[in-house]
Amino acid sequence: MTIGIGSLEVHPLALGGNVFGWTADEKESFAVLDAYADAGGNFVDTADIYSAWVPGHRGGESETIIGAWLAARGHRDDVVVATKVGGGHPEPRGLSAAAIRTGAEESLRRLRTDRIDLYYTHFDDLSVPVEEIITTLDGLVKEGKVREIGASNISAERLAASLEFSDASGLAKYVALQVQYNLVSRETYEGALAEVAARHGVAAVPYFALAQGFLTGKYRPGAHVDSARAGRAAAYGDTPRGRAVLAALDQVAAAHDTEPATVALAWLAARPTVATPLASARTTDQLPALLALTELHLTEDELALLTAASEPS
């Protein structure tokens, strides 16, 4: 089964590359990528800024590892590669025409490829008119360096203006939208932003789909988890909403003899406009619960239970 995003056909689970070069070294990253591809996965997401937050890193480490893996395995034509520009690599340079073009060339070099399948603007740059951003991205599409374009971390107003400009000018149009969206973070997408996406047929690809690991069920009161994200993930469990969501996840997971993470991803995949959730795995042991998304079918009652438990207060 594949999901259509513009002209792209992708696996129902997008594999996040933010851990590559951060909590997973090249060997571990290759193992995760191999296991994902062996399971039929073909949608790998990264960004030019990953993993610039690590001391001594400049960003681009994830792209470099993915590029090395693609070259070593000969998988380039089998994998849909998504990356991003405008996230602050190597310094905050925004989304001017020059910044986008420079970023694209650097990403192509690190990924060892001649085209980016899905190219996102990582963070909107309000100093640059949407007309300049879209026109520049359209130029990359026309040159064959980019196949489809998407946006991330953008307001409903700027997204609508961008899409309307594309329609009016006949230029490349955003087909994907990366948003923070999960069972304990619904207000970050639902509402005006989701309405714009629905009106224009833009596919949502939610990041933090597992709330930085909280929705795996590992981060509970009194539990110690050795993870770089432990502090942020555990914070969700200190809220009434977090506790209600965990209880609902446990109930549904038990009914299907599956993992809470799988249930959380299945709920997300069933939401309006969502094409494919985005989740990362630091080790191959973490992959099965993510990939099981494709085989889990939640009932309407189960979806309603999870939706009610996760309602924003």
Side-chain angles (χ1 to χ4, degrees):
M1 179 178 71
T2 59
I3 307 294
I5 298 180
S7 62
L8 309 172
E9 291 292 326
V10 301
H11 189 269
L13 175 77
L15 182 66
N18 60 318
V19 296
F20 302 151
W22 173 29
T23 54
D25 62 19
E26 183 174 276
K27 182 179 178 181
E28 292 167 327
S29 301
F30 273 38
V32 169
L33 287 161
D34 284 340
Y36 175 69
D38 289 345
N42 78 329
F43 191 17
V44 177
D45 180 271
T46 187
D48 60 358
I49 197 174
Y50 301 163
S51 52
W53 53 86
V54 177
H57 287 199
R58 286 179 48 82
E61 288 80 13
S62 173
E63 287 182 329
T64 299
I65 287 174
I66 292 169
W69 176 77
L70 291 170
R73 302 295 188 260
H75 282 334
R76 182 61 191 94
D77 292 338
D78 304 319
V79 176
V80 174
V81 178
T83 193
K84 310 175 192 75
V85 67
H89 174 79
E91 65 274 326
R93 61 185 180 194
L95 293 175
S96 67
I100 291 173
R101 285 200 160 273
T102 298
E105 293 299 335
E106 292 176 355
S107 288
L108 288 167
R109 174 181 54 79
R110 287 188 292 265
L111 289 165
R112 303 194 198 183
T113 185
D114 61 352
R115 81 276 185 193
I116 297 164
D117 298 306
L118 178 55
Y119 201 35
Y120 291 98
T121 53
H122 200 165
F123 290 89
D124 194 15
D125 181 353
L126 297 178
S127 72
V128 183
V130 297
E131 293 83 359
E132 179 177 340
I133 295 170
I134 295 298
T135 300
T136 306
L137 292 170
D138 178 77
L140 293 172
V141 172
K142 285 185 168 63
E143 293 164 18
K145 295 178 179 178
V146 169
R147 293 177 64 193
E148 296 283 8
I149 62 172
S152 178
N153 302 298
I154 189 172
S155 69
E157 294 75 17
R158 286 273 288 189
L159 177 63
S162 301
L163 295 165
E164 290 160 8
F165 174 71
S166 293
D167 284 338
S169 59
L171 301 183
K173 184 176 180 178
Y174 293 140
V175 300
L177 175 65
Q178 273 205 20
V179 288
Q180 179 176 338
Y181 188 35
N182 57 58
L183 276 163
V184 289
S185 183
R186 292 174 52 185
E187 56 274 31
T188 47
Y189 178 51
E190 294 177 5
L193 194 55
E195 289 164 8
V196 172
R199 186 162 67 246
H200 287 269
V202 177
V205 181
Y207 66 84
F208 289 166
L210 294 175
Q212 298 177 308
F214 173 71
L215 298 174
T216 65
K218 294 186 297 185
Y219 301 91
R220 300 174 187 266
H224 173 74
V225 181
D226 183 16
S227 168
R229 299 174 174 176
R232 288 175 291 179
Y236 289 110
D238 292 331
T239 66
R241 183 189 196 180
R243 291 189 289 271
V245 165
L246 274 189
L249 284 173
D250 287 341
Q251 180 180 331
V252 177
H256 290 271
D257 191 24
T258 192
E259 298 291 329
T262 311
V263 175
L265 293 175
W267 176 86
L268 197 54
R271 300 300 289 171
T273 75
V274 172
T276 169
L278 172 62
S280 58
R282 181 176 55 84
T283 66
T284 54
D285 291 342
Q286 296 174 347
L287 266 179
L290 310 182
L291 293 166
L293 157 71
T294 62
E295 300 172 359
L296 178 60
H297 303 285
L298 301 180
T299 68
E300 290 300 319
D301 287 345
E302 289 167 338
L303 290 169
L305 173 70
L306 293 160
T307 300
S310 64
E311 285 290 345
S313 56

